[in-house]
Every structure is written in C-alpha cells, then in structure tokens.
Amino acid sequence: MRRPTVLLSLLALLLAGCSAAPDDGPRPGPSATAATAGAWWRPAPGLDWQWQLSGPLDTSVDVPVYDIDGFDHDAATVAGLHDDGRRVVCYLSTGAWEDWRPDAKRFPASVIGEGNGWKGERWLDIRRTDVLEPLLAARLDMCRDKGFDAVEPDNMDGYRNTTGFPLGAADQLRYNRLVARLAHQRGMAVGLKNDLDQIPALVGDFDFAVNEQCAQYDECADLTPFVEAGKAVFHVEYELPTSAFCADSRRLKLSSLRKKYELGVWREAC
C-alpha cells in the first residue's frame, strides 16, 4: 500500500521450480497450460517499468513492463500493450476494501475494518478466508480473463497496522500465500507488495516484489533475497530525488522510479 505519512501438489511445485529461468521477453497472456506447468512469467532483476494507477493511460512509455489498475482497463488495452511487446501487471487491493469498486457490496460489513489512510479504503479481516477467498478468486479471474501476465496485490501487511482486527504475523503469511496460490493457479505471476519483515518466509511463494519508499526508510537491503533468487524488485520513491537513491538502487539491482503519490503518467527512472 502507498504509505500515508503505511495445495498446489508436490508435482506442481517441482515443475514450477524446474521451469525456465526468469525472462523479460514478450509472450501471450496466461493460459490454463501455463498454470498447469508453472510456466508463468518470471521477471528478472533490473527490468524497467511504468506504474500508472490514475489518469488516462499513456501507453507510449518505452519500457517492457506496465503495472496498471485491473478494474480500470479492459482486455483490449492489455492486448495492445502485449502487441507492443510489454508485459502487463494487474493492480488489485487484496488486503483492503475500496468503496468504489464494482464488487464492493459483496464484502460483508463483518470483514471491513479501520481506514488505511486513503479515502474510501478500509482494512480487511484477512483471517476470514472463508469469506475472502471466493471474492479474491473472482478478481483474479478478471485479471486472467483480461490477459494480464501478473498481479500486484496491494495492502499485504495489515498485521503491521491498526486494522480493527487482532491480526498476527501468522495470519498475514497464510493470507499472502493464499493470494500467491490463487494467482499461480490462474497462470499469472504474483508480486509481494511491501511486507518487508516477511520476505525471508515469502520469497519462495512470490515471483517479484513491489516496494514503496525503501530508500526513504533505509530498508532497500531487505529486498536482497528477491534479487538473489533472480526475481525483480519494482521500487518507487515519492519524496526523495533520484540523486538520493539511484546509485544504491543500481548496486542492489532494483528497478527504481520516482513517482508522484497519485501514480499518474509522470515518472523519473534511475
């Protein structure tokens, strides 16, 4: 989340571990075959990217990876980006409820907690996987059906925040692994959003990381397990100039940008 001051079988696991090395080349969107074989996209460290969650989508940025809102864009947009040789990541909030989403009324009040610092957003009771799993599955079906290559699930560290629920680290690990499993079952890669303290436990479950402000909070070295595993770290700073973090980002092999908090078109890459 943007900071406000914030069972697959053994065979499937073995196949996933033995699949091709991380790559950055274009290919069609996810398929049932990809899900069965564990052959989803695996972005390698150092890939340049664009992250745009607001405003009219600008598809002219010459980068191999686009991260865009899954609800706001249709299959034709994803196909167009694929035609231009881009991989496309589906942004979803999986740990917080958003009152403007078309499925908002499907979330019962019992799982909706405190605000997370952003207008219209409230933390979810991630212990209630009986309620949330089918809702998550429907959202991930949407990403798959639109042709997205990967998912960026947001608000994946509720246990570190005041949510209105007594969430613990074990609850977060269970939930985050559920999100990863559901994405993989649909043939899509999945990124770990922030949740730095649990990276050692989760790096094997996720295909890349998305981080906000690790330089500002002196946390970027915590993302090293992803890079060492050959997995990309897509990183953004909002308040620091590129001169303050790009040298360190290059050393750590992070894919770093400076963005504005509204995550519009503007970007400044390292």
Side-chain angles (χ1 to χ4, degrees), residues 1-4 6 51 53-54 69 71-72 91-101 103-104 107 109 111-125 139 152-158 161-165 193-194 212 238 261-263:
M1 111 185 224
R2 292 159 283 169
R3 300 191 191 203
V6 267
W51 195 18
L53 301 183
S54 68
D69 191 282
F71 282 102
D72 290 350
Y91 170 89
L92 294 174
S93 181
T94 53
W97 176 79
E98 301 161 309
D99 64 8
W100 67 92
R101 296 303 190 183
D103 62 353
F107 289 76
V111 302
I112 300 172
E114 300 292 335
N116 69 357
W118 294 91
K119 184 179 179 180
E121 298 187 27
R122 306 180 74 85
W123 290 106
L124 289 169
D125 186 355
R139 287 184 167 195
E152 180 212 333
D154 201 3
N155 298 292
M156 297 282 274
D157 54 1
N161 292 273
T162 302
T163 63
F165 306 110
K193 181 71 171 287
N194 297 324
E212 295 164 293
Y238 302 112
Y261 276 109
E262 63 267 23
L263 293 172

Side-chain angles (χ1 to χ4, degrees), residues 162-227:
T162 302
T163 63
F165 306 110
L167 305 182
D171 299 312
Q172 195 70 60
L173 287 172
R174 177 174 174 251
Y175 190 74
N176 291 0
R177 286 175 172 141
L178 170 64
V179 173
R181 184 168 70 249
L182 291 173
H184 287 157
Q185 287 172 348
R186 287 154 178 79
M188 294 182 291
V190 60
L192 180 64
K193 181 71 171 287
N194 297 324
D195 196 19
L196 292 168
D197 290 346
Q198 295 189 327
I199 285 176
L202 292 172
V203 64
D205 297 278
F206 288 83
D207 306 293
F208 58 95
V210 179
N211 176 267
E212 295 164 293
Q213 299 172 280
C214 69
Q216 181 172 341
Y217 294 96
D218 195 24
E219 299 168 335
C220 291
D222 293 346
L223 292 149
T224 298
F226 273 95
V227 175

Side-chain angles (χ1 to χ4, degrees), residues 34-166:
T36 302
W40 47 82
W41 175 49
R42 287 170 168 82
L47 282 180
D48 201 3
W49 69 307
Q50 167 65 323
W51 195 18
Q52 185 181 345
L53 301 183
S54 68
L57 183 65
D58 179 357
T59 62
S60 67
V61 182
D62 188 15
V63 294
V65 180
Y66 262 71
D67 188 337
I68 62 177
D69 191 282
F71 282 102
D72 290 350
H73 300 288
D74 60 16
T77 298
V78 177
L81 288 166
H82 282 154
D83 289 344
D84 290 336
R86 279 73 175 267
R87 299 283 191 161
V88 195
V89 181
C90 182
Y91 170 89
L92 294 174
S93 181
T94 53
W97 176 79
E98 301 161 309
D99 64 8
W100 67 92
R101 296 303 190 183
D103 62 353
K105 291 182 179 180
R106 296 184 61 196
F107 289 76
S110 61
V111 302
I112 300 172
E114 300 292 335
N116 69 357
W118 294 91
K119 184 179 179 180
E121 298 187 27
R122 306 180 74 85
W123 290 106
L124 289 169
D125 186 355
I126 60 170
R127 300 169 302 167
R128 295 294 308 278
T129 55
D130 58 323
V131 173
L132 296 178
E133 181 171 352
L135 297 171
L136 288 174
R139 287 184 167 195
L140 291 166
D141 285 346
M142 174 190 71
C143 295
R144 177 201 59 203
D145 294 347
K146 289 181 177 181
F148 282 94
D149 300 289
V151 181
E152 180 212 333
D154 201 3
N155 298 292
M156 297 282 274
D157 54 1
Y159 82 107
R160 295 290 307 275
N161 292 273
T162 302
T163 63
F165 306 110

